[in-house]
Tab-separated table of all heavy atoms in Angstrom:
chain	number	residue	atom	x	y	z
A	1	ILE	N	-177.115	-26.513	-124.967
A	1	ILE	CA	-177.759	-26.452	-123.657
A	1	ILE	C	-177.332	-27.753	-122.926
A	1	ILE	O	-177.330	-28.835	-123.562
A	1	ILE	CB	-179.295	-26.333	-123.703
A	1	ILE	CG1	-179.707	-25.032	-124.366
A	1	ILE	CG2	-179.893	-26.461	-122.327
A	1	ILE	CD1	-181.253	-24.900	-124.521
A	2	ARG	N	-176.896	-27.604	-121.700
A	2	ARG	CA	-176.528	-28.798	-120.915
A	2	ARG	C	-177.513	-29.104	-119.855
A	2	ARG	O	-178.146	-28.260	-119.195
A	2	ARG	CB	-175.150	-28.497	-120.250
A	2	ARG	CG	-174.466	-29.714	-119.497
A	2	ARG	CD	-173.077	-29.373	-119.008
A	2	ARG	NE	-172.269	-29.014	-120.117
A	2	ARG	CZ	-171.480	-29.784	-120.816
A	2	ARG	NH1	-171.560	-31.061	-120.564
A	2	ARG	NH2	-170.663	-29.385	-121.787
A	3	GLY	N	-177.739	-30.429	-119.663
A	3	GLY	CA	-178.752	-30.806	-118.701
A	3	GLY	C	-178.799	-32.255	-118.448
A	3	GLY	O	-177.829	-33.041	-118.756
A	4	THR	N	-179.868	-32.760	-117.824
A	4	THR	CA	-180.065	-34.151	-117.549
A	4	THR	C	-180.870	-34.921	-118.607
A	4	THR	O	-181.933	-34.439	-118.864
A	4	THR	CB	-180.715	-34.316	-116.201
A	4	THR	OG1	-179.945	-33.763	-115.181
A	4	THR	CG2	-180.934	-35.780	-115.854
A	5	LEU	N	-180.356	-35.906	-119.153
A	5	LEU	CA	-181.038	-36.683	-120.131
A	5	LEU	C	-181.749	-37.884	-119.555
A	5	LEU	O	-181.135	-38.711	-118.845
A	5	LEU	CB	-180.098	-37.130	-121.279
A	5	LEU	CG	-180.653	-37.769	-122.443
A	5	LEU	CD1	-181.460	-36.901	-123.415
A	5	LEU	CD2	-179.532	-38.522	-123.306
A	6	CYS	N	-183.030	-38.069	-119.931
A	6	CYS	CA	-183.807	-39.275	-119.452
A	6	CYS	C	-184.441	-39.906	-120.601
A	6	CYS	O	-184.849	-39.281	-121.587
A	6	CYS	CB	-184.857	-38.792	-118.383
A	6	CYS	SG	-184.189	-38.145	-116.859
A	7	ILE	N	-184.477	-41.257	-120.602
A	7	ILE	CA	-185.059	-41.988	-121.592
A	7	ILE	C	-186.196	-42.842	-120.932
A	7	ILE	O	-185.981	-43.574	-120.005
A	7	ILE	CB	-184.115	-42.922	-122.343
A	7	ILE	CG1	-184.751	-43.688	-123.522
A	7	ILE	CG2	-183.393	-43.894	-121.497
A	7	ILE	CD1	-183.788	-44.347	-124.578
A	8	THR	N	-187.455	-42.701	-121.572
A	8	THR	CA	-188.526	-43.525	-121.104
A	8	THR	C	-188.960	-44.477	-122.185
A	8	THR	O	-188.315	-44.586	-123.253
A	8	THR	CB	-189.787	-42.600	-120.758
A	8	THR	OG1	-190.313	-42.087	-121.974
A	8	THR	CG2	-189.282	-41.467	-119.807
A	9	SER	N	-190.017	-45.157	-121.993
A	9	SER	CA	-190.506	-46.217	-123.017
A	9	SER	C	-190.783	-45.508	-124.365
A	9	SER	O	-190.728	-46.186	-125.288
A	9	SER	CB	-191.746	-46.981	-122.476
A	9	SER	OG	-191.449	-47.537	-121.217
A	10	HIS	N	-191.165	-44.296	-124.343
A	10	HIS	CA	-191.558	-43.701	-125.658
A	10	HIS	C	-190.937	-42.316	-125.920
A	10	HIS	O	-191.148	-41.802	-127.014
A	10	HIS	CB	-193.072	-43.580	-125.731
A	10	HIS	CG	-193.822	-44.839	-125.682
A	10	HIS	ND1	-194.416	-45.359	-124.598
A	10	HIS	CD2	-194.153	-45.761	-126.718
A	10	HIS	CE1	-194.981	-46.484	-124.898
A	10	HIS	NE2	-194.836	-46.742	-126.218
A	11	HIS	N	-190.230	-41.732	-124.944
A	11	HIS	CA	-189.677	-40.463	-125.148
A	11	HIS	C	-188.345	-40.317	-124.736
A	11	HIS	O	-187.806	-41.017	-123.850
A	11	HIS	CB	-190.538	-39.329	-124.339
A	11	HIS	CG	-191.896	-39.114	-124.957
A	11	HIS	ND1	-192.986	-39.819	-124.589
A	11	HIS	CD2	-192.277	-38.135	-125.877
A	11	HIS	CE1	-194.054	-39.301	-125.262
A	11	HIS	NE2	-193.684	-38.313	-126.073
A	12	LEU	N	-187.634	-39.321	-125.275
A	12	LEU	CA	-186.344	-38.856	-124.884
A	12	LEU	C	-186.408	-37.489	-124.338
A	12	LEU	O	-186.982	-36.558	-125.092
A	12	LEU	CB	-185.316	-38.894	-126.041
A	12	LEU	CG	-183.819	-38.748	-125.708
A	12	LEU	CD1	-183.420	-39.896	-125.001
A	12	LEU	CD2	-183.000	-38.520	-126.948
A	13	LEU	N	-186.078	-37.235	-123.127
A	13	LEU	CA	-186.260	-35.984	-122.407
A	13	LEU	C	-184.922	-35.375	-122.047
A	13	LEU	O	-184.077	-36.145	-121.579
A	13	LEU	CB	-187.158	-36.200	-121.115
A	13	LEU	CG	-188.389	-37.069	-121.276
A	13	LEU	CD1	-189.105	-37.196	-119.983
A	13	LEU	CD2	-189.340	-36.515	-122.366
A	14	LEU	N	-184.790	-34.091	-122.116
A	14	LEU	CA	-183.681	-33.403	-121.521
A	14	LEU	C	-184.213	-32.177	-120.750
A	14	LEU	O	-184.820	-31.293	-121.317
A	14	LEU	CB	-182.758	-32.926	-122.693
A	14	LEU	CG	-181.281	-32.456	-122.084
A	14	LEU	CD1	-180.178	-33.084	-122.902
A	14	LEU	CD2	-181.317	-30.932	-122.124
A	15	SER	N	-183.751	-31.990	-119.491
A	15	SER	CA	-184.107	-30.941	-118.643
A	15	SER	C	-182.977	-30.237	-118.271
A	15	SER	O	-181.994	-30.821	-117.785
A	15	SER	CB	-184.932	-31.437	-117.413
A	15	SER	OG	-185.090	-30.393	-116.499
A	16	PRO	N	-182.945	-28.908	-118.322
A	16	PRO	CA	-181.720	-28.183	-117.868
A	16	PRO	C	-181.536	-28.085	-116.364
A	16	PRO	O	-180.510	-27.842	-115.858
A	16	PRO	CB	-181.988	-26.697	-118.416
A	16	PRO	CG	-183.547	-26.591	-118.504
A	16	PRO	CD	-183.979	-27.954	-118.852
A	17	ARG	N	-182.629	-28.499	-115.560
A	17	ARG	CA	-182.554	-28.510	-114.261
A	17	ARG	C	-182.324	-29.778	-113.589
A	17	ARG	O	-182.098	-29.861	-112.394
A	17	ARG	CB	-183.874	-27.778	-113.574
A	17	ARG	CG	-184.082	-26.415	-113.982
A	17	ARG	CD	-185.224	-25.921	-113.157
A	17	ARG	NE	-186.539	-26.496	-113.501
A	17	ARG	CZ	-187.147	-25.994	-114.542
A	17	ARG	NH1	-186.845	-25.078	-115.339
A	17	ARG	NH2	-188.342	-26.604	-114.753
A	18	GLY	N	-182.522	-30.770	-114.346
A	18	GLY	CA	-182.283	-32.097	-113.975
A	18	GLY	C	-183.445	-32.725	-113.259
A	18	GLY	O	-184.470	-31.988	-113.000
A	19	GLY	N	-183.419	-33.990	-112.984
A	19	GLY	CA	-184.503	-34.667	-112.334
A	19	GLY	C	-185.799	-34.864	-113.179
A	19	GLY	O	-186.825	-34.935	-112.644
A	20	ALA	N	-185.611	-35.000	-114.414
A	20	ALA	CA	-186.789	-35.156	-115.282
A	20	ALA	C	-187.406	-36.594	-115.276
A	20	ALA	O	-186.604	-37.488	-115.113
A	20	ALA	CB	-186.447	-34.779	-116.803
A	21	THR	N	-188.669	-36.599	-115.296
A	21	THR	CA	-189.319	-37.889	-115.255
A	21	THR	C	-190.376	-37.928	-116.282
A	21	THR	O	-190.722	-36.953	-116.877
A	21	THR	CB	-190.058	-38.227	-113.799
A	21	THR	OG1	-191.062	-37.211	-113.738
A	21	THR	CG2	-189.008	-38.074	-112.770
A	22	GLU	N	-190.997	-39.060	-116.531
A	22	GLU	CA	-191.906	-39.266	-117.650
A	22	GLU	C	-193.183	-38.428	-117.329
A	22	GLU	O	-193.831	-38.004	-118.077
A	22	GLU	CB	-192.263	-40.735	-117.795
A	22	GLU	CG	-193.179	-40.942	-119.029
A	22	GLU	CD	-193.393	-42.327	-119.354
A	22	GLU	OE1	-192.902	-43.219	-118.635
A	22	GLU	OE2	-193.914	-42.629	-120.382
A	23	GLU	N	-193.392	-38.170	-115.941
A	23	GLU	CA	-194.584	-37.365	-115.505
A	23	GLU	C	-194.188	-35.895	-115.515
A	23	GLU	O	-195.091	-35.055	-115.175
A	23	GLU	CB	-195.086	-37.826	-114.170
A	23	GLU	CG	-195.710	-39.215	-114.111
A	23	GLU	CD	-194.650	-40.296	-114.240
A	23	GLU	OE1	-193.486	-39.994	-113.756
A	23	GLU	OE2	-195.013	-41.436	-114.507
A	24	GLY	N	-193.031	-35.485	-115.823
A	24	GLY	CA	-192.666	-34.101	-115.895
A	24	GLY	C	-193.287	-33.352	-116.924
A	24	GLY	O	-193.930	-33.823	-117.938
A	25	LYS	N	-193.532	-31.993	-116.661
A	25	LYS	CA	-194.203	-31.173	-117.612
A	25	LYS	C	-193.429	-30.921	-118.871
A	25	LYS	O	-192.318	-30.702	-118.807
A	25	LYS	CB	-194.629	-29.719	-116.911
A	25	LYS	CG	-195.466	-29.935	-115.714
A	25	LYS	CD	-195.759	-28.631	-115.130
A	25	LYS	CE	-196.733	-28.683	-113.951
A	25	LYS	NZ	-197.060	-27.383	-113.293
A	26	GLN	N	-194.102	-30.819	-119.951
A	26	GLN	CA	-193.404	-30.754	-121.265
A	26	GLN	C	-192.750	-29.417	-121.437
A	26	GLN	O	-191.729	-29.286	-121.861
A	26	GLN	CB	-194.396	-30.916	-122.449
A	26	GLN	CG	-193.767	-30.816	-123.789
A	26	GLN	CD	-194.728	-31.196	-124.922
A	26	GLN	OE1	-195.807	-31.660	-124.643
A	26	GLN	NE2	-194.367	-30.968	-126.117
A	27	GLU	N	-193.338	-28.331	-120.864
A	27	GLU	CA	-192.753	-27.073	-120.949
A	27	GLU	C	-191.539	-26.876	-120.118
A	27	GLU	O	-190.722	-25.887	-120.346
A	27	GLU	CB	-193.768	-25.945	-120.580
A	27	GLU	CG	-194.497	-26.158	-119.198
A	27	GLU	CD	-195.714	-26.956	-119.341
A	27	GLU	OE1	-195.819	-27.779	-120.300
A	27	GLU	OE2	-196.704	-26.678	-118.538
A	28	ASP	N	-191.220	-27.815	-119.156
A	28	ASP	CA	-190.028	-27.723	-118.363
A	28	ASP	C	-188.854	-28.310	-119.238
A	28	ASP	O	-187.728	-28.398	-118.654
A	28	ASP	CB	-190.259	-28.476	-117.078
A	28	ASP	CG	-191.215	-27.765	-116.158
A	28	ASP	OD1	-191.425	-26.531	-116.402
A	28	ASP	OD2	-191.736	-28.476	-115.254
A	29	MET	N	-189.073	-29.035	-120.311
A	29	MET	CA	-188.107	-29.722	-120.961
A	29	MET	C	-187.534	-28.976	-122.192
A	29	MET	O	-188.329	-28.281	-122.948
A	29	MET	CB	-188.716	-31.071	-121.593
A	29	MET	CG	-189.370	-31.963	-120.528
A	29	MET	SD	-188.243	-32.569	-119.290
A	29	MET	CE	-189.352	-33.288	-118.205
A	30	VAL	N	-186.212	-28.995	-122.313
A	30	VAL	CA	-185.633	-28.468	-123.529
A	30	VAL	C	-185.867	-29.375	-124.630
A	30	VAL	O	-186.083	-28.979	-125.898
A	30	VAL	CB	-184.060	-28.287	-123.280
A	30	VAL	CG1	-183.399	-27.838	-124.520
A	30	VAL	CG2	-183.807	-27.314	-122.066
A	31	LEU	N	-185.864	-30.675	-124.374
A	31	LEU	CA	-186.053	-31.717	-125.413
A	31	LEU	C	-187.258	-32.612	-125.034
A	31	LEU	O	-187.124	-33.161	-123.906
A	31	LEU	CB	-184.815	-32.429	-125.757
A	31	LEU	CG	-184.883	-33.618	-126.764
A	31	LEU	CD1	-185.289	-33.068	-128.056
A	31	LEU	CD2	-183.684	-34.477	-126.800
A	32	TRP	N	-188.259	-32.812	-125.845
A	32	TRP	CA	-189.330	-33.730	-125.508
A	32	TRP	C	-189.561	-34.486	-126.815
A	32	TRP	O	-190.412	-34.069	-127.561
A	32	TRP	CB	-190.513	-32.998	-125.024
A	32	TRP	CG	-191.701	-33.853	-124.640
A	32	TRP	CD1	-192.573	-34.510	-125.423
A	32	TRP	CD2	-192.221	-34.183	-123.268
A	32	TRP	NE1	-193.528	-35.222	-124.725
A	32	TRP	CE2	-193.337	-35.028	-123.501
A	32	TRP	CE3	-191.677	-33.751	-122.035
A	32	TRP	CZ2	-193.971	-35.506	-122.299
A	32	TRP	CZ3	-192.417	-34.260	-121.000
A	32	TRP	CH2	-193.546	-35.050	-121.026
A	33	LEU	N	-188.824	-35.602	-127.051
A	33	LEU	CA	-188.738	-36.209	-128.391
A	33	LEU	C	-189.478	-37.521	-128.315
A	33	LEU	O	-188.987	-38.407	-127.553
A	33	LEU	CB	-187.328	-36.231	-128.903
A	33	LEU	CG	-187.178	-36.976	-130.268
A	33	LEU	CD1	-187.743	-36.131	-131.357
A	33	LEU	CD2	-185.703	-37.240	-130.528
A	34	LEU	N	-190.460	-37.750	-129.117
A	34	LEU	CA	-191.169	-39.064	-129.288
A	34	LEU	C	-190.143	-39.926	-130.019
A	34	LEU	O	-189.654	-39.638	-131.044
A	34	LEU	CB	-192.365	-38.929	-130.016
A	34	LEU	CG	-193.277	-40.137	-130.158
A	34	LEU	CD1	-193.811	-40.565	-128.715
A	34	LEU	CD2	-194.544	-39.885	-131.069
A	35	LEU	N	-189.725	-41.078	-129.480
A	35	LEU	CA	-188.767	-41.944	-129.970
A	35	LEU	C	-189.143	-42.420	-131.328
A	35	LEU	O	-188.225	-42.749	-132.186
A	35	LEU	CB	-188.450	-43.119	-128.987
A	35	LEU	CG	-187.807	-42.717	-127.630
A	35	LEU	CD1	-187.692	-43.843	-126.719
A	35	LEU	CD2	-186.377	-42.056	-127.956
């Protein structure tokens, strides 16, 4: 799956639609990984 990767203080997030933020919904993420 291709998307936008974001890194926050505690998580690694990947969203297929892009524009993911730390306040984004978990179900919108392909990847929601606690670092």
Side-chain angles (χ1 to χ4, degrees):
I1 298 175
R2 190 176 296 273
T4 298
L5 183 72
C6 294
I7 184 169
T8 71
S9 298
H10 295 99
H11 287 89
L12 191 68
L13 314 175
L14 189 137
S15 170
R17 295 191 295 274
T21 64
E22 189 170 7
E23 290 77 22
K25 296 182 179 180
Q26 181 172 351
E27 51 267 29
D28 293 338
M29 306 297 171
V30 174
L31 178 66
W32 183 285
L33 179 67
L34 187 64
L35 292 174

